[in-house]
Amino acid sequence: MRDQISPDRSRLLVIGNGMAGMRTVEEVLKRDPARYRITVIGAEPHVNYNRILLSPVLSGEKTFEEIVINSRDWYTANGIELIAGDAAIAIDTAEKTVRTASGRTVAYDKLLLATGSNPFILPVPGKDLPGVCAFRDLSDVETMLSAAQRYSHAVVIGGGLLGLEAANGLAAQGMKVSVIHLMDTLMERQLDTAAATLLAEDLTRRGITIITGAVTEALIGADRVQAVRLKDGRQLPADLVVMAAGIRPNAALAQASGLACNRGVVVDDGLRTSDPSIYAIGECAEHNGQCVGLVAPIWDMAKVCADHLTGKTGSAYRPIQPPTRLKVTGIDMLSVGQFNGGEGCEDIVLRDGARGVYKRLVVKDDKLVGAVLYGDAKDGGWYVDLLEKAAPLGDLRDTFVFGPGLTASGSADQGLADLPDETEICGCNGVCKGTILTAIADKGLTTLEEVKTHTKAAASCGSCSSKVEGLLALALGGDYQAKTVEGMCGCTDHPHETVRLAIKERNLKSIPEVMRALDWRTPGGCASCRPALNFYLLCAWPGEYQDDSRSRFINERAHANIQKDGTFSVIPRMWGGVTTAQELRAIADVVDKYDIPSVKVTGGQRLDLLGVKKEDLPAVWADLNAAGMVSGHGYGKALRTVKTCVGSEWCRFGTQDSTGMGIKLEKMTWGSWHPHKVKLAVSGCPRNCAEATIKDFGVIAVDSGWELLIGGNGGIELRGCDFLVKVSTEAEVLEYCAAFLQLYREEARYLERTAPWVERVGLPYVKSRILDDEAGRRALAARFAYAQKFAQIDPWAERVAGVEADEFKPMLVEV
Ligand SMILES: Cc1cc2nc3c(=O)[nH]c(=O)nc-3n(C[C@H](O)[C@H](O)[C@H](O)COP(=O)(O)OP(=O)(O)OC[C@H]3O[C@@H](n4cnc5c(N)ncnc54)[C@H](O)[C@@H]3O)c2cc1C
Ligand code: SF4
């Protein structure tokens, strides 16, 4: 494409490589791709990205790569010169040139200003201390993420959309977060008191402290911020302070070059400034006294501006009232229009306290003029459309609070079918119904993913996904098969991943809380979901969640394996397969004393005492415990054994101390609960006598270190391990092992062994998390180590001391 652009084309120079500037460039290219030689000057050192999605990057739900809008290749393919990381500092309107911070001068025929906003930094003492940042760009997110790794207390100043998204992201990164807000209720510009109260309750449940009516007086600290002092004298600990107290249009450059400015750069209906060669768009612009702070109107601006830049001068920008949504997973809200009512307005309110659902629809002169939805905003698009159409409600008024399902048109699908083609479906990317339907027909799209790729609809915050699926269903009729993900069990349609995410995101701390929050169909769950939930909660909240023994199967409740005749088998732990005369004597004594009929060496190099009577179990545990032995967890979805060979200590071929390594691994991992049983092995040389190549985590010593293997299984479906990496030190073996096990614990579905899990997610994925991401690996290993502080408690010893005497009571729900 670059070759087609001759040097004598007009030069279009864009200042600002953000959402508005680049959307205008895209629209210009759509209309007349060869019209301009385009240069973009951006202060940020990146290609352009979706700023809206910085919140999911902060909370860890997306990576930066996933929010890039246009790659470097796109700029090159379209002949666009990108000058990134070099801010424009002066415009010479007479010479038609722009100077950058690095001293470069760029000439233009048409100039587009798209410099966005600056965050408002409260002018309080301490505002310049290290550890204080805004929430505007990727560098702010990087500052926050690095603080979250090292520090624990964050204070967010501002309880608006941005502040709450920042608070949620920091809490998801493990920080203790307080939000301080000047007004009495959160998001007062979008929510009425009732909805704001529900929001505050939801955030508090997630562990975020909300302090309203709070005036910040000073930030305190010497080398770094340490606390925030409020006017009433309260002092809040703060290793990180995020200012999210508002934005100001970034119009300084325009003002300095003599363009007409008020709060923003003044533009007319064609987005032209007071200089006819210069346009301004996005948050830096002011149209009819109004500045914008959401993307929906910016997409309209971009279209009109592109029309004018390509010679269609009749089009005019008409501001719209975009709805607001909060991008916090699990919090469903929407607010639009005159949501707080006013003179001549009537309110129609639906409140379902138990479900945390609140809807307020504001009607004036028989038309919908505002809405606030909290807890269930799935019909938001329909209300926005009613509001934009401004048609009389008539009979609809009686039922429309219940959503489109009960209206005259009968169904949400019908509602969607009735919408005109120009109705916007995806607010984040400004994609309307007609564009989606045309893409489905012209390109033969059949899945949501394909629609996302081709139209960008539903590719950002995702809240319009159900509408896009509705359009697919309308277009494809019976041919459309919505992608269904299987629910955990008959009690819920939510798949495992959704439940695990909700536990973390919504701060759910008990099985009943999970069931309530996710609308479980059965009151107490079943024998499938209860053990899974118990494990997910244990994994999410180590040290905090109280293990629910009544949600475990009999083997785990009885700390022993039930056998076919109703007796139990007991396996004491033998670290790395090594035992002593004293341990063997104690085992022999127990066998005699309790008349245990059989002792067998297991495949994992432990001794199994078979045929123990149920009533003898506690006494057997007590005697073995007294001899220094602990439970071998031979019964649990847990770390079972670490099998070893004799290695360099005894074997002629051994290159490393495999037994010692096995003992270290077992001391680190014993007691850890997993989605399924987990076995480890260490062999002292590639002859592999410990069969490490069919274990969940295998280690094989070689001359120069240790080869690490994962995802092996000697069970029904034999699977040889995948090679993960070769490392040189024992410390690395331990770190990689802990990181791998933690990743498996955190991401596999309950009852999924490592072998099918590795196959499902793919070896490249596991490698990307364990090998390529060093910080991530360390963090995983650290989380494993932290959880082990609470897990390495011998259940036999606990039981002997009187804990959990109810092991033979049935599971709360039995199959
Ligand atoms: C965390 C976050 C979440 C958001 N969530 C939502 C949401 O859910 N929904 C919604 O509608 N909106 C949301 N917004 C707002 C939305 O991102 C903005 O309205 C939109 O990005 C504005 O586009 P813009 O191009 O005007 O400014 P920006 O996207 O900020 O782009 C301006 C660019 O200009 C650059 N620049 C500034 N000065 C210069 C200079 N002198 N030289 C060169 N480059 C310069 C800046 O570095 C920046 O890259 C969110 C914003 C943030 C920060
Ligand atoms: S694996 Fe190697 S070191 Fe270990 S026992 Fe077998 S031959 Fe010896």
Side-chain angles (χ1 to χ4, degrees), residues 15-22 41-44 49-55 86-89 114-118 135-137 161-162 165 247 250 253 281-284 292-296 298 323 325 327 427-428 461:
I15 303 181
N17 186 26
M19 307 274 288
M22 295 318 293
I41 300 177
E44 293 184 76
Y49 57 88
N50 193 335
R51 197 171 303 282
I52 294 181
L53 298 183
L54 284 177
S55 303
D86 190 10
I89 54 166
T115 49
S117 292
N118 289 323
F135 187 19
R136 180 76 201 169
D137 58 25
L161 188 96
L162 221 53
E165 289 186 3
I247 52 172
N250 182 4
L253 184 63
I281 179 163
E283 287 183 350
C284 68
V292 293
L294 291 171
V295 291
I298 293 177
R325 287 180 189 264
K327 297 189 300 302
C428 293
C461 79

Side-chain angles (χ1 to χ4, degrees), residues 645-648 651-656 658 682-690:
C645 73
V646 292
S648 59
C651 179
R652 287 177 296 145
F653 304 107
T655 54
Q656 312 270 358
S658 50
V682 188
S683 286
C685 83
R687 286 172 183 76
N688 189 20
C689 295

Side-chain angles (χ1 to χ4, degrees), residues 117-122 134-136 157-163 181 189 242-249 263 283:
S117 292
N118 289 323
F120 175 61
I121 301 296
L122 292 183
F135 187 19
R136 180 76 201 169
I157 302 179
L161 188 96
L162 221 53
H181 190 51
R189 290 209 308 231
V242 181
M243 296 254 196
I247 52 172
R248 301 278 181 272
R263 281 176 62 224
E283 287 183 350

Side-chain angles (χ1 to χ4, degrees), residues 571 574 577 579 584 598-610 643:
I571 304 178
M574 285 177 181
T579 185
L584 290 173
S598 189
V599 180
K600 153 117 191 26
V601 179
T602 70
Q605 297 176 336
R606 308 292 185 265
L607 286 176
D608 195 355
L609 284 58
L610 288 144
K643 188 172 179 177

